[in-house]
Amino acid sequence: NAGVTQTPKFQVLKTGQSMTLQCAQDMNHNSMYWYRQDPGMGLRLIYYSASEGTTDKGEVPNGYNVSRLNKREFSLRLESAAPSQTSVYFCASSESLARYEQYFGPGTRLTVT
Amino acid sequence: QKEVEQNSGPLSVPEGAIASLNCTYSDRGSQSFFWYRQYSGKSPELIMSIYSNGDKEDGRFTAQLNKASQYVSLLIRDSQPSDSATYLCASSSNDYKLSFGAGTTVTVRA
């Protein structure tokens, strides 16, 4: 039982490059989330998926897209990376939106030069 | 104004002492509150949840909630070096999302 897994752990991109961050959970959770964490800013929600087949914008969605591939997997795509997207990205999951207890993956540290 | 505010710290306490962390929230509709612990370079880990006014104890941790004052706190008793981490306060919103504070960094000195 791995919980929430994320790949890659580290990534360096040049401005304008694209990439996809992968997330998978094996807890049979319905809801999944993508956050970014910047120093002094706390965790900010980028996108979330209440259940398979649905996605919604969070607090800071600009520059990102998401795909809920199936119940287990939720990916985050940066189409044209910018230095402002340098951050640590966390995926999380919960049983449902109404069950607020969220469980986090190990994170992806992304640097955009 | 941020939805969730935490005392910025850092907070340094001697081993064996009580560490007290405070958090205020702006959304009066918030019903659920959480404390996450985050070690340096690691992901947040849920350590406490509290839903009703009063105290909730779990081992050396006590969460306190006062909805009238929109205040949540976390006490860590008998602090250990392994408690050195950043503690994140989070509150729920009406649209089922969590709002996180920026965190308070705690250092327990031996």
Side-chain angles (χ1 to χ4, degrees), chain B residues 17-35:
Chain B
I18 295 175
S20 177
L21 292 78
N22 303 317
C23 173
T24 58
Y25 60 95
S26 61
D27 183 358
R28 282 202 170 273
S30 295
Q31 295 295 322
S32 306
F33 304 88
F34 306 90
W35 285 99

Side-chain angles (χ1 to χ4, degrees), chain B residues 17-93:
Chain B
I18 295 175
S20 177
L21 292 78
N22 303 317
C23 173
T24 58
Y25 60 95
S26 61
D27 183 358
R28 282 202 170 273
S30 295
Q31 295 295 322
S32 306
F33 304 88
F34 306 90
W35 285 99
Y36 284 81
R37 177 176 61 199
Q38 187 174 22
Y39 292 115
S40 181
K42 302 296 185 183
S43 59
E45 173 194 9
L46 180 65
I47 58 171
M48 288 288 283
S49 57
I50 187 165
Y51 305 99
S52 53
N53 282 329
D55 295 358
K56 179 181 178 182
E57 189 173 313
D58 184 358
R60 295 185 295 107
F61 297 99
T62 299
Q64 300 172 317
L65 173 61
N66 183 327
K67 290 185 180 179
S69 301
Q70 295 176 245
Y71 176 87
V72 190
S73 66
L74 181 71
L75 300 177
I76 307 173
R77 292 185 303 282
D78 187 23
S79 295
Q80 301 297 308
S82 60
D83 296 324
S84 297
T86 296
Y87 290 81
L88 305 175
C89 174
S91 71
S92 66
S93 62

Side-chain angles (χ1 to χ4, degrees), chain A residues 41-94:
Chain A
M41 300 287 290
L43 287 158
R44 291 183 293 169
L45 184 65
I46 304 171
Y47 271 93
Y48 67 100
S49 171
S51 60
E52 185 179 354
T54 69
T55 60
D56 282 289
K57 295 178 180 178
E59 182 185 353
V60 288
N62 290 345
Y64 306 95
N65 284 301
V66 291
S67 296
R68 183 74 183 266
L69 305 169
N70 48 54
K71 189 172 185 178
R72 290 187 64 247
E73 299 173 288
F74 188 37
S75 63
L76 178 71
R77 183 161 178 83
L78 287 70
E79 290 291 352
S80 178
S84 60
Q85 294 178 305
T86 293
S87 188
V88 180
Y89 291 85
F90 289 104
C91 177
S93 71
S94 65

Side-chain angles (χ1 to χ4, degrees), chain A residues 3-5 23-35 49 68 71-72 74 90-96 99-105, chain B residues 36:
Chain A
V4 181
T5 57
C23 173
Q25 52 89 12
D26 63 3
M27 295 178 283
N28 201 34
H29 283 173
N30 289 298
S31 302
M32 299 184 73
Y33 313 82
W34 276 105
Y35 291 91
S49 171
R68 183 74 183 266
K71 189 172 185 178
R72 290 187 64 247
F74 188 37
F90 289 104
C91 177
S93 71
S94 65
E95 283 188 31
S96 67
R99 291 299 301 264
Y100 296 104
E101 293 87 352
Q102 295 182 15
Y103 299 89
F104 285 79
Chain B
Y36 284 81

